[in-house]
């Protein structure tokens, strides 16, 4: 337990220094079990299934790395990691969850649900511990704790920084339009609520009726940004997005347009591509998660639950804001996770 406390503190400290959730390392054959283990034959081995939202995005590579790090540091733990090909491959993830729940091989489950209500049905009656990762599975008594980012709080923190930056850039009317992910998805809605609070509590206006939905993809974000430019040829102080990919796409689409020269482009996740975009002068800033530590804590939570320990309903893995001042330091940290 002392080692666990030390590791959690070290990870939190590292990300705090960088002011800390997507394209990156290619993880082919999403349905393949990326199981890693250093467990020895002596003693009981705790086997934990980790099912991500996807295996193809950079953010989830940090999740994978965090879970693998816990596995590598604990000889009595074996972690199996998998995820579908995309965040809209709902049936693929459901099949993975159903397969793992129906096997006796695992002692606990860490699940990042694409469709929480459907996952709730799949895990109903499960007696082995379940940990929700990244997004909660509301109303499921089988879920003993949720490890993730306080998405609303993180988005509010990012928007507050964006408002200050917009004022410093000379905007007198602080208005924001969001390019969202999947409409109705809980994480998406929590971030939107945080953006709204962050601007409205600081004298600005969130143009909610002009929200653009891009299904969390960069290609559709380009179309959304083009629509915003047509509707607002005079420019908008802040363009915020549900993830970094969409925010970067929006910034690149508006590049060269004088009306958007001083627009603040705010992303969410703080992945490598965001840091690089900030350093290149495209993206302005990003509300940042700590996916590596999130996964590490989630696997640790599963182990504690197997051992009969009680945990709080929510474990916050932390967040911060990445700007030009700290983007290089965070980039170095993220690179170290995937080395």
């Amino acid at each position: 337990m002392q080692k666990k406390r030390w590791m959690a503190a070290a990870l939190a400290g590292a990300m705090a220094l960088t002011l800390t959730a997507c394209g990156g390392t290619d993880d082919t054959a999403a349905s393949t079990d990326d199981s890693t283990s250093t467990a020895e034959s002596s003693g009981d081995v705790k086997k934990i299934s980790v099912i991500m939202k996807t295996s193809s995005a950079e953010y989830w590579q940090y999740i994978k790395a965090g879970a693998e790090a816990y596995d590598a540091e604990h000889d009595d733990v074996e972690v199996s990691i998998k995820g579908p090909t995309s965040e809209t491959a709902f049936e693929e993830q459901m099949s993975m969850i159903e397969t793992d729940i129906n096997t006796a091989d695992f002692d606990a489950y860490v699940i990042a649900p694409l469709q929480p209500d459907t996952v709730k049905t799949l895990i109903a009656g499960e007696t082995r511990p379940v940990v929700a990762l990244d997004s909660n599975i509301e109303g499921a008594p089988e879920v003993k704790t949720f490890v993730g980012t306080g998405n609303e709080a993180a988005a509010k923190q990012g928007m507050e920084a964006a408002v200050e930056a917009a004022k410093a850039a000379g905007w007198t009317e602080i208005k924001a339009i969001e390019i969202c992910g999947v409409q109705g998805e809980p994480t998406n809605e929590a971030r939107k609520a945080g953006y709204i609070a962050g601007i409205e509590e600081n004298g600005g206006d969130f143009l909610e009726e002009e929200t653009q939905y891009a299904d969390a993809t960069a290609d559709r974000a380009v179309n959304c940004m083009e629509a915003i430019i047509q509707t607002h040829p005079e420019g908008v102080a802040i363009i915020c997005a549900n993830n970094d990919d969409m925010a970067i796409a929006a910034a690149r689409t508006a590049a060269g347009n004088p009306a958007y020269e001083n627009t603040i482009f705010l992303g969410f996740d703080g992945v490598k591509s965001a840091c690089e975009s900030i350093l290149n002068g495209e993206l302005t800033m990003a509300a940042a998660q700590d996916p590596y530590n999130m996964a590490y804590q989630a696997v640790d939570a599963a182990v504690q639950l197997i051992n009969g320990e009680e945990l709080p309903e929510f474990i916050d893995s932390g967040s911060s804001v990445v700007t030009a001042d700290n983007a290089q330091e965070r980039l170095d940290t993220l690179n170290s996770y995937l080395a």
Side-chain angles (χ1 to χ4, degrees):
M1 181 59 72
Q2 184 177 5
K3 183 176 183 180
K4 294 175 184 173
R5 292 198 185 99
W6 179 88
M7 185 63 185
L11 287 166
M15 298 313 292
L17 287 173
T18 62
L19 289 178
T20 334
C22 285
T25 304
D26 185 26
D27 193 4
T28 58
S31 61
T32 300
D33 184 345
D34 290 320
S35 178
T36 58
S37 176
T38 58
E40 303 296 335
S41 57
S42 58
D44 293 332
V45 176
K46 301 173 182 66
K47 296 184 178 182
I48 300 168
S49 167
V50 176
I51 300 177
M52 306 182 294
K53 290 184 178 180
T54 182
S55 61
S56 63
E58 181 188 328
Y59 173 84
W60 293 96
Q61 293 303 309
Y62 302 131
I63 291 285
K64 182 172 180 283
E68 289 176 333
Y70 191 96
D71 181 309
E73 294 170 12
H74 297 80
D75 289 344
D76 62 340
V77 175
E78 180 179 326
V79 180
S80 170
I81 310 166
K82 57 179 70 70
T85 50
S86 75
E87 291 196 37
T88 55
F90 305 123
E91 293 299 327
E92 191 178 356
Q93 192 195 53
M94 293 308 105
S95 178
M96 291 177 176
I97 294 171
E98 191 170 24
T99 297
D100 282 8
I101 287 290
N102 289 331
T103 181
D105 292 346
F106 298 108
D107 301 299
Y109 301 90
V110 175
I111 301 174
L114 286 173
Q115 294 179 309
D117 288 343
T118 306
V119 175
K120 178 182 174 181
T121 300
L122 290 177
I123 66 174
E126 179 56 55
T127 58
R128 290 164 291 184
V130 178
V131 175
L133 171 68
D134 187 68
S135 294
N136 200 4
I137 306 170
E138 298 283 356
E142 295 81 7
V143 175
K144 303 306 178 185
T145 189
F146 164 42
V147 182
T149 303
N151 282 290
E152 185 171 341
K156 181 180 179 181
Q157 181 183 16
M159 181 58 78
E160 288 172 342
V163 169
E164 290 304 310
K167 291 177 180 178
W171 291 93
T172 55
E173 290 189 25
I174 310 299
K175 297 180 180 180
I177 297 176
E178 183 182 7
I179 300 176
C180 280
V182 179
Q183 189 169 11
E185 194 274 326
T187 299
N188 184 85
E189 296 305 311
R191 293 177 186 177
K192 183 178 181 181
Y195 285 149
I196 292 173
I199 191 168
E200 291 186 349
E201 291 179 14
N202 289 278
D205 185 17
F206 187 92
L207 304 182
E208 187 171 4
E209 70 282 359
E210 298 187 42
T211 297
Q212 301 279 330
Y213 288 95
D215 290 339
T217 64
D219 288 345
R220 291 200 59 186
V222 170
N223 298 332
C224 291
M225 190 64 220
E226 289 173 345
I228 291 171
I229 291 172
Q230 285 188 337
T231 305
H232 293 276
E234 76 285 2
V236 178
I238 300 168
I239 300 296
C240 56
N242 184 250
N243 65 25
D244 291 331
D245 283 352
M246 292 190 293
I248 293 169
R252 290 174 177 170
T253 302
N257 187 320
Y260 286 83
E261 182 178 0
N262 294 321
T263 293
I264 306 303
F265 289 91
L266 169 65
F268 196 112
D269 284 336
V271 295
K272 284 174 57 178
S273 56
C275 296
E276 292 164 351
S277 183
I278 290 170
L279 292 170
N280 290 335
E282 299 171 327
L283 191 62
T284 313
M285 59 182 60
Q289 305 190 71
D290 187 354
Y292 183 98
N293 190 41
M294 185 189 300
Y296 191 98
Q297 287 182 307
V299 176
D300 184 53
V303 171
Q304 292 184 61
L305 290 168
I306 293 169
N307 291 335
E309 300 181 37
E310 292 189 7
L311 297 176
E313 291 184 1
F314 175 56
I315 299 173
D316 192 338
S317 54
S319 65
S320 61
V321 181
V322 182
T323 67
D325 293 335
N326 56 28
Q328 185 61 57
E329 188 173 6
R330 178 172 171 85
L331 180 60
D332 293 342
T333 299
L334 294 176
N335 282 330
S336 73
Y337 292 157
L338 303 182

